[in-house]
Amino acid sequence: MFLYQTPLRDMQFVLHELLGASASIAAMRRAVSWDRETTDQAIDAVGRFAGSELARLNAGGDEEGCRVEAGVVRTPRGFAEAYRRFVDAGWPTLAYDEKFGGQGAPAILYSAMLEMLYAANAGWTMYFGTARGAYECLHTHASPQQQAYYLPNVVSGRWTTTMCLTEAHCGSDLGLLRTRAVPQADGSYRINGSKLFISGGDQDFTENIVHLVLARVTGAPPGVRGISLFVVPKHLPQAGGLSPERNGMTATAVEHKMGLRGSATCAMNFEDSVGWLVGRPNEGMRNMFVMINSSRIGVAVQAVGLAQAAYCSALGYARERLQMRAAGGPRRPDLPADPIIEHADVRRMLLTQKAHVEAGRMLVYWLSLLLDQEAFGADETTRSEAAGLVGLLTPVAKAFLTENAFVAANHAIQIHGGHGYIRDHGVEQIVRDVRIAQIYEGTNGIQARDLLARKVLADGGAQLDAFLNRVWHDVADGGIAGLPGGFAEPLLRVCDDLRQLPARIGGAAAGNADEIGAAGTDFLRALGHVACAWLFARAAGVATLRLSAGTSDPLYASKLATARFYFSRLLPEASMHLHVARSGAASLSDLREDHLFV
Amino acid sequence: MFLYQTPLRDMQFVLHELLGASASIAAMRRAVSWDRETTDQAIDAVGRFAGSELARLNAGGDEEGCRVEAGVVRTPRGFAEAYRRFVDAGWPTLAYDEKFGGQGAPAILYSAMLEMLYAANAGWTMYFGTARGAYECLHTHASPQQQAYYLPNVVSGRWTTTMCLTEAHCGSDLGLLRTRAVPQADGSYRINGSKLFISGGDQDFTENIVHLVLARVTGAPPGVRGISLFVVPKHLPQAGGLSPERNGMTATAVEHKMGLRGSATCAMNFEDSVGWLVGRPNEGMRNMFVMINSSRIGVAVQAVGLAQAAYCSALGYARERLQMRAAGGPRRPDLPADPIIEHADVRRMLLTQKAHVEAGRMLVYWLSLLLDQEAFGADETTRSEAAGLVGLLTPVAKAFLTENAFVAANHAIQIHGGHGYIRDHGVEQIVRDVRIAQIYEGTNGIQARDLLARKVLADGGAQLDAFLNRVWHDVADGGIAGLPGGFAEPLLRVCDDLRQLPARIGGAAAGNADEIGAAGTDFLRALGHVACAWLFARAAGVATLRLSAGTSDPLYASKLATARFYFSRLLPEASMHLHVARSGAASLSDLREDHLFV
């Protein structure tokens, strides 16, 4: 009963009408010929693949899960075939450099594709989820020979990739990692150690897997400054192709997880694995970090996709399920009861889902466009402005949108009532699947710290001010054509309060270093609301202009009403978070550690 | 790795120091000899049973689940034996009338017992979860003969009970139900129909099950006015005991649920089942509702128990897991990194859990005490005041505490990071188990409607005012001895805003009936915060007096700090909800139903 309809119309609205993506991309210094028509065709085709092939494997993948059989991971029925069709259709190549066989599409199109894949089957999509990050990492840091060997296979999707960072005793704190790399006479390294939570650490649908592994070279300094990055293929090259022998590694177990059960999350043992250094020794963390913004935006995209799937299911159910009469009297007297969509509280939950999904889509597509502007913007100003915004808003998108998606997914259960708690409707799976997004690629607490300490306080709030000035200009100085009344005042109030916060926190932190950690999460959520409310204000401007022009497309009335809902019922959360962020560290640190007991 | 430590000290604090339960109970018109010592012994003994026997079956029960084999439900390994030991120890009889074999303990002790059972193993406890409601229903409405036959077996726990209300097409709207009852010449009825989501509809550990079934007698009026209540045992009486034949009923399936998988949630077919009317025909809904307050408080108790289990696990992990250094520099230089409890954001989550657990415990224990005061208070004023408070605050406790417990459970996953997402640590199970609490016994949306429409607007806000006056008196007029500074002002501000809301909503509802549904959920959450903040203010008063007296018990400093945390970081949510509740129905109803699309 799992439903997923591709939200093509809203995707088009964001890409073309809100962001004017084609024009932005055309102005970049990398010539990309992705016009509106090509974009729409690509989205439509991937959407059909996701909505049919992938969606029908989603519940089964969760039910069956993955297992290790004689040292080999077995993925759920149908996953391997679907992956092969995906590769044969050429979709993995979409957004990569033509030099390595890619189609050169912009990052925003990649995000749109990823949204649909994650929505339809998040477990399956995980096998493909690190590809872009691995590509960027190798593209930036690997030697020309390494690039020539690995990248065409990563771009085509013939080989999948993993990121081997976490170990049992370290996740957030990679400085503690223990995996060792010993240099060999031939320039390779022998790698030994155990890695944990490796998505797609093994699978049964490609001939090879490219592991990017963090390890310490013999004699390296302790901490993060002694970590190097290695490329370690599952099968080593030999004359004419790949060695049939497995490189020294085993997936020792597949984790039994709350969700994403179609994805093989492996415990990996590297035993005398042959690997090669990527980039320079002891610069592994820096080299790995090149992929971090796109990976974190990828998680935000996953959240948007799953929230969309939850909204889709809940909306379908709310239209069909008949319980009680509407408060104002029967709306469907022909039926034994009214559809529950007629009840205000159900509508509140549906609109919350819709608003979170649409806000999230605007934010991640915009950030994806900025990723390309950072790399390929026509001039230095464009590039550095984009880089500043990406740096500031990536942790916001990752944490804010994954939390909102969890809320949206849970509303789908609630709207289904008892039927949502059983497996048949598929919505409880969405909650289980999306829960991890708040954790991986840096927990949301890590995102909050990154935002407040490194992105805001480190430059004295300059980048934050630049963004808030842009919001201010748009809503207070006529920057948004068509902006209807009622939007400027509440948003500006939150902006003003937010702007004053860094100086206050920075001052307090001089006396108590915990002040930053104590305020981070609430600060992040407030900024997330500002970003999303601003994007909704822009969307409301576009919608209002179209409505005045007499459009018959129902999207615009829907968009305007959703924007108003956001301002009435979701934006007020920002003021609460600002209030809490101002409350300081005392309420956390006054309680002695030994007074925290059960 | 599932941890559960009975929070004996905090339970004692609430029972004895905050609520003075023994004295309250001693003053009731039903003589109950449950003094402080007896109470503490009972809690300690049940706590040991829960923390050992039940907790060790919890993960296995989830993993194994229930199944139907040849028409018989099989429960997880060890469940039946644990239930027999529970019955043999006499615990089921704790809080029932001595006349039927009970020990006559007060409802508050029953809630304390239930909290521990649910915390240790919610799936197992479900088999016992309807017992008190069924007892009260039969005790109030069944004939003396029915009572004499069924109650001793329910009280002893030899027979379990179910509530058979829901059908596939109706849950919240029981007026639609279709199960039929045809009167027979001997005074019995033949019952035919299908029921859904019946907890413990069948199991393999008692000789009989007492089903309380809602059905329509032939010729009954449509809607809720044509529903009657029947008692339908799994095995019918025959001379000398029970018929070995099963009464006409089958558990056709066990649902595959998100959580509570140890509990057999059955689809039941009644085929010519023999049953007997309980109370009068067509008064089934009213008769069933007699159990509603205690059942809803039971769900709130379940939420508190599971939140406690989540806090327990998270606290244990946060003390052991070493990642990074504290912001102010190493706290444990002897270790490779500091325990994560030293990070402000982790502490924020732990304190949120602790505050929700302790607030919830205060609220449900107080309501349990009021349940007895409603029934057995010494004078009419005491009884009617208690009844008013129970009516007002039961939907609040059910909805507010189940939502807070979900937050607390999710924080346990977050604190565990990736380790929380895999099954081994047991915290993801808590999230799955507690999720249903927002749905069953009336969805939280139904609770919000019950509160605002029936408990607040129906009496023009009189009962709400009475409660708010009590809060006002306590915090503004010296009603709380020892109340420290900083508590009165924020609470009174929320009280004032809350007090003005019903008139505003009532007025608006005259023009648009959806205004009630549009405000209900936010109104409920604001009132929940007032109730919990007030209880924390009272607890802070007790703690301050003890601290001035020079106590060495660390509970009091802990309690005071937790109360301050609640006021600094959780109570601000109330103002947000009041703001949203004031925003009205327009943002929900302006969007045409056909404009809600994907």
Side-chain angles (χ1 to χ4, degrees):
Chain A
M1 268 281 304
F2 171 68
L3 284 171
Y4 174 62
Q5 281 175 269
T6 315
L8 288 181
R9 183 66 190 90
D10 197 60
M11 294 169 91
Q12 289 166 349
F13 172 81
V14 177
L15 287 166
H16 308 307
E17 300 174 65
L18 183 80
L19 300 177
S22 304
S24 290
I25 291 159
M28 291 178 190
R29 62 180 172 160
R30 181 179 71 160
V32 175
S33 60
W34 285 84
D35 58 11
R36 178 167 179 157
E37 200 177 332
T38 326
T39 304
D40 288 355
Q41 282 168 0
I43 291 176
D44 184 54
V46 176
R48 274 183 282 114
F49 172 75
S52 55
E53 296 256 347
L54 293 187
R56 74 180 167 73
L57 298 173
N58 189 41
D62 176 64
E63 195 64 43
E64 189 183 340
C66 301
R67 60 198 188 283
V68 183
E69 264 178 15
V72 176
V73 166
R74 297 293 169 202
T75 59
R77 208 183 323 270
F79 271 37
E81 294 72 16
Y83 186 78
R84 277 193 278 275
R85 276 190 290 273
F86 183 63
V87 170
D88 290 346
W91 296 123
T93 68
L94 196 65
Y96 297 123
D97 197 335
E98 282 98 335
K99 186 175 154 192
F100 298 106
Q103 300 182 58
I108 193 170
L109 192 53
Y110 187 83
S111 290
M113 174 172 80
L114 216 53
E115 180 199 324
M116 296 183 283
L117 301 177
Y118 276 126
N121 192 328
W124 181 90
T125 306
M126 290 296 291
Y127 294 98
F128 176 68
T130 54
R132 191 178 174 85
Y135 168 88
E136 286 174 12
C137 180
L138 292 168
H139 196 250
T140 313
H141 296 293
S143 68
Q145 292 82 350
Q146 287 174 333
Q147 293 194 28
Y149 180 68
Y150 291 105
L151 287 184
N153 290 302
V154 171
V155 165
S156 67
R158 276 196 307 275
W159 297 356
T160 59
T161 57
T162 76
M163 291 165 62
C164 297
L165 286 67
T166 300
E167 300 180 4
H169 64 289
C170 66
S172 299
D173 189 359
L174 290 170
L176 301 171
L177 76 79
R178 294 179 192 145
T179 298
R180 296 273 156 196
V182 181
Q184 307 295 305
D186 65 356
S188 70
Y189 288 76
R190 288 297 171 116
I191 292 165
N192 283 278
S194 297
K195 294 287 180 178
L196 200 68
F197 302 154
I198 308 307
S199 298
D202 194 27
Q203 35 77 358
D204 50 7
F205 46 86
T206 58
E207 61 176 21
N208 207 3
I209 301 175
V210 182
H211 300 285
L212 293 177
V213 181
L214 292 184
R216 291 183 191 285
V217 176
T218 318
V224 292
R225 289 192 179 79
I227 296 174
S228 303
L229 176 63
F230 298 88
V231 59
V232 187
K234 177 176 169 186
H235 292 282
L236 293 165
Q238 69 175 25
L242 296 172
S243 162
E245 300 281 290
R246 186 189 278 244
N247 194 354
M249 65 181 70
T250 332
T252 52
V254 170
E255 303 294 347
H256 295 283
K257 306 191 301 295
M258 180 185 196
L260 283 188
R261 292 168 42 78
S263 165
T265 305
C266 300
M268 300 289 294
N269 259 356
F270 291 90
E271 291 170 279
D272 278 336
S273 308
V274 177
W276 291 271
L277 193 62
V278 175
R280 295 201 297 187
N282 300 335
E283 293 186 358
M285 286 300 284
R286 207 196 59 164
N287 297 350
M288 207 73 170
F289 263 72
V290 82
M291 67 173 88
I292 215 149
N293 280 332
S294 81
S295 305
R296 288 180 174 175
I297 294 172
V299 175
V301 169
Q302 178 182 36
V304 172
L306 284 165
Q308 170 75 42
Y311 171 54
C312 226
S313 292
L315 183 61
Y317 189 78
R319 287 214 159 98
E320 284 174 13
R321 175 74 171 176
L322 310 176
Q323 294 287 278
M324 302 185 286
R325 292 300 182 183
R331 301 262 167 98
R332 293 292 305 272
D334 54 317
L335 297 174
D338 286 326
I340 60 172
I341 199 171
E342 300 296 349
H343 301 309
D345 194 60
V346 171
R347 206 172 261 242
R348 173 187 66 80
M349 292 189 276
L350 286 170
L351 271 156
T352 301
Q353 297 181 298
K354 184 175 193 288
H356 280 323
V357 168
E358 294 181 9
R361 183 172 295 125
M362 291 189 283
L363 183 54
V364 295
Y365 285 18
W366 178 53
L367 284 174
S368 304
L369 190 62
L370 289 171
L371 281 179
D372 273 347
Q373 270 170 353
E374 178 182 358
F376 309 116
D379 51 69
E380 178 49 35
T381 312
T382 306
R383 290 193 296 274
S384 75
E385 279 182 10
L389 286 165
V390 167
L392 180 75
L393 294 173
T394 296
V396 176
K398 195 279 181 182
F400 187 67
L401 300 187
T402 56
E403 285 159 19
N404 297 347
F406 190 63
V407 169
N410 269 297
H411 278 355
I413 292 185
Q414 197 67 23
I415 290 167
H416 280 76
H419 296 269
Y421 194 64
I422 59 172
R423 300 214 163 169
D424 313 36
H425 285 268
V427 290
E428 64 84 32
Q429 185 190 339
I430 302 177
V431 170
R432 290 186 290 107
D433 284 354
V434 80
R435 180 64 186 82
I436 188 62
Q438 296 173 60
I439 297 171
Y440 61 14
E441 294 293 343
T443 66
N444 286 3
I446 296 283
Q447 306 298 324
R449 197 163 83 148
D450 176 50
L451 172 67
L452 188 50
R454 297 177 49 201
K455 307 296 176 58
V456 172
L457 294 176
D459 75 357
Q463 180 57 52
L464 175 71
D465 278 350
F467 173 62
L468 295 178
N469 288 342
R470 181 168 177 170
V471 173
W472 185 277
H473 166 75
D474 271 0
V475 299
D477 293 342
I480 300 175
L483 183 68
F487 285 85
E489 188 271 331
L491 180 50
L492 293 175
R493 200 170 51 232
V494 176
C495 278
D496 285 346
D497 288 350
L498 187 64
R499 197 191 291 269
Q500 290 162 24
L501 206 49
R504 179 186 176 119
I505 297 168
N512 176 1
D514 277 330
E515 291 287 351
I516 298 169
T521 290
D522 289 284
F523 180 84
L524 185 149
R525 284 204 65 82
L527 181 53
H529 275 299
V530 167
C532 289
W534 166 67
L535 288 162
F536 259 128
R538 290 180 56 189
V542 173
T544 305
L545 293 181
R546 307 276 166 152
L547 288 166
S548 335
T551 176
S552 63
D553 184 337
L555 179 99
Y556 302 104
S558 179
K559 188 63 68 182
L560 187 58
T562 308
R564 289 205 189 282
F565 173 87
Y566 195 97
F567 274 71
S568 294
R569 290 181 169 258
L570 301 180
L571 182 58
E573 204 192 69
S575 300
M576 175 194 74
H577 285 299
L578 289 166
H579 182 92
V580 172
R582 283 191 296 267
S583 74
S587 62
L588 303 176
S589 46
D590 281 359
L591 192 60
R592 283 170 41 181
E593 196 258 307
D594 60 338
H595 287 178
L596 269 161
F597 47 72
V598 298
Chain B
M1 268 281 304
F2 171 69
L3 286 170
Y4 174 62
Q5 282 175 269
T6 315
L8 288 180
R9 183 64 191 91
D10 197 60
M11 294 169 89
Q12 289 166 348
F13 172 80
V14 177
L15 287 165
H16 307 307
E17 299 173 66
L18 182 79
L19 300 176
S22 302
S24 290
I25 291 160
M28 291 179 190
R29 61 180 172 161
R30 180 179 70 160
V32 175
S33 60
W34 284 84
D35 58 12
R36 178 165 179 157
E37 201 178 331
T38 326
T39 302
D40 289 354
Q41 283 167 359
I43 290 176
D44 185 54
V46 175
R48 275 185 281 113
F49 173 75
S52 56
E53 297 254 349
L54 293 187
R56 74 179 167 75
L57 297 174
N58 190 41
D62 177 63
E63 196 63 43
E64 188 183 342
C66 301
R67 60 197 187 283
V68 182
E69 265 178 16
V72 176
V73 167
R74 297 293 169 202
T75 59
R77 209 182 323 269
F79 272 37
E81 294 72 18
Y83 186 80
R84 278 194 278 276
R85 278 190 290 273
F86 183 62
V87 169
D88 289 346
W91 296 123
T93 68
L94 195 65
Y96 297 122
D97 197 335
E98 282 100 335
K99 186 173 153 194
F100 299 105
Q103 299 182 58
I108 194 170
L109 193 52
Y110 188 83
S111 290
M113 174 172 79
L114 216 54
E115 180 199 323
M116 295 183 284
L117 301 177
Y118 275 126
N121 193 328
W124 181 91
T125 306
M126 289 296 292
Y127 294 99
F128 176 68
T130 55
R132 190 176 174 88
Y135 167 89
E136 285 174 11
C137 179
L138 292 168
H139 196 251
T140 313
H141 295 294
S143 68
Q145 293 82 349
Q146 288 172 333
Q147 293 193 29
Y149 180 68
Y150 290 105
L151 287 184
N153 290 302
V154 171
V155 164
S156 68
R158 278 195 305 275
W159 298 356
T160 59
T161 57
T162 76
M163 290 165 61
C164 297
L165 286 67
T166 300
E167 300 180 5
H169 64 289
C170 66
S172 299
D173 188 0
L174 290 170
L176 301 172
L177 76 79
R178 295 179 191 146
T179 298
R180 298 272 155 196
V182 181
Q184 307 295 306
D186 66 355
S188 71
Y189 287 76
R190 288 297 172 114
I191 292 166
N192 283 278
S194 296
K195 295 287 181 178
L196 200 67
F197 302 154
I198 308 307
S199 296
D202 194 28
Q203 35 77 357
D204 50 7
F205 46 85
T206 58
E207 60 175 21
N208 207 1
I209 301 175
V210 183
H211 300 285
L212 292 176
V213 182
L214 292 184
R216 291 183 190 285
V217 177
T218 317
V224 293
R225 292 193 176 77
I227 296 174
S228 303
L229 176 65
F230 298 87
V231 59
V232 186
K234 176 177 170 185
H235 292 281
L236 293 167
Q238 69 175 26
L242 295 172
S243 162
E245 300 279 292
R246 184 189 279 245
N247 195 354
M249 66 181 70
T250 331
T252 52
V254 171
E255 302 294 347
H256 295 283
K257 305 193 299 297
M258 181 184 195
L260 282 189
R261 291 167 45 78
S263 164
T265 305
C266 299
M268 300 288 294
N269 258 355
F270 290 90
E271 293 170 278
D272 278 337
S273 309
V274 177
W276 290 271
L277 194 61
V278 175
R280 295 201 297 186
N282 300 335
E283 293 186 359
M285 286 300 285
R286 209 196 57 165
N287 297 350
M288 206 73 170
F289 263 71
V290 80
M291 66 173 88
I292 215 150
N293 280 332
S294 80
S295 304
R296 288 180 174 176
I297 294 172
V299 176
V301 169
Q302 178 183 34
V304 172
L306 284 165
Q308 171 75 42
Y311 171 55
C312 227
S313 291
L315 183 61
Y317 189 79
R319 287 211 159 100
E320 285 174 12
R321 175 74 171 175
L322 310 177
Q323 294 287 278
M324 302 184 286
R325 291 299 180 184
R331 301 263 167 97
R332 293 292 304 273
D334 54 316
L335 297 174
D338 285 327
I340 59 172
I341 199 171
E342 300 296 349
H343 301 308
D345 194 61
V346 171
R347 206 172 260 243
R348 173 187 64 81
M349 292 188 276
L350 286 169
L351 271 156
T352 300
Q353 297 181 299
K354 183 174 194 286
H356 280 323
V357 168
E358 293 180 9
R361 183 172 295 125
M362 291 190 283
L363 183 54
V364 296
Y365 285 17
W366 178 51
L367 283 174
S368 303
L369 190 62
L370 289 172
L371 280 178
D372 273 347
Q373 269 169 353
E374 178 181 357
F376 310 115
D379 52 71
E380 178 49 33
T381 311
T382 306
R383 291 194 294 275
S384 75
E385 278 181 9
L389 286 166
V390 167
L392 180 75
L393 294 173
T394 296
V396 175
K398 195 277 180 184
F400 187 69
L401 300 187
T402 56
E403 285 159 19
N404 297 347
F406 191 64
V407 169
N410 268 297
H411 278 355
I413 291 185
Q414 197 68 23
I415 290 166
H416 280 76
H419 296 270
Y421 194 64
I422 59 173
R423 301 215 163 168
D424 314 35
H425 284 267
V427 289
E428 63 85 33
Q429 185 190 339
I430 302 177
V431 170
R432 290 185 290 106
D433 284 353
V434 80
R435 181 63 186 85
I436 188 62
Q438 296 173 60
I439 297 171
Y440 61 15
E441 294 294 342
T443 65
N444 286 4
I446 297 283
Q447 307 297 324
R449 197 164 83 149
D450 176 52
L451 172 68
L452 188 50
R454 297 177 50 201
K455 306 295 176 56
V456 172
L457 295 176
D459 76 357
Q463 180 57 51
L464 176 70
D465 278 351
F467 174 61
L468 295 178
N469 288 343
R470 181 166 178 173
V471 174
W472 185 279
H473 166 75
D474 271 1
V475 299
D477 294 342
I480 299 174
L483 182 69
F487 285 85
E489 188 272 330
L491 180 51
L492 293 175
R493 200 171 51 231
V494 176
C495 278
D496 285 346
D497 288 351
L498 186 64
R499 197 191 290 269
Q500 289 162 25
L501 206 50
R504 180 187 175 117
I505 298 168
N512 177 1
D514 277 330
E515 292 286 352
I516 298 168
T521 291
D522 290 284
F523 181 85
L524 185 148
R525 284 205 64 84
L527 181 54
H529 275 299
V530 167
C532 289
W534 166 67
L535 288 161
F536 259 127
R538 290 180 56 189
V542 174
T544 305
L545 294 180
R546 307 278 166 150
L547 288 166
S548 335
T551 175
S552 65
D553 185 336
L555 179 100
Y556 302 105
S558 179
K559 188 64 69 183
L560 187 57
T562 308
R564 288 205 191 281
F565 173 87
Y566 194 97
F567 273 71
S568 294
R569 290 180 170 260
L570 301 180
L571 182 58
E573 204 192 70
S575 300
M576 175 194 73
H577 285 298
L578 290 166
H579 182 91
V580 172
R582 283 192 295 265
S583 74
S587 63
L588 303 176
S589 46
D590 280 0
L591 192 61
R592 284 170 41 182
E593 195 257 310
D594 60 340
H595 287 177
L596 271 161
F597 47 74
V598 297

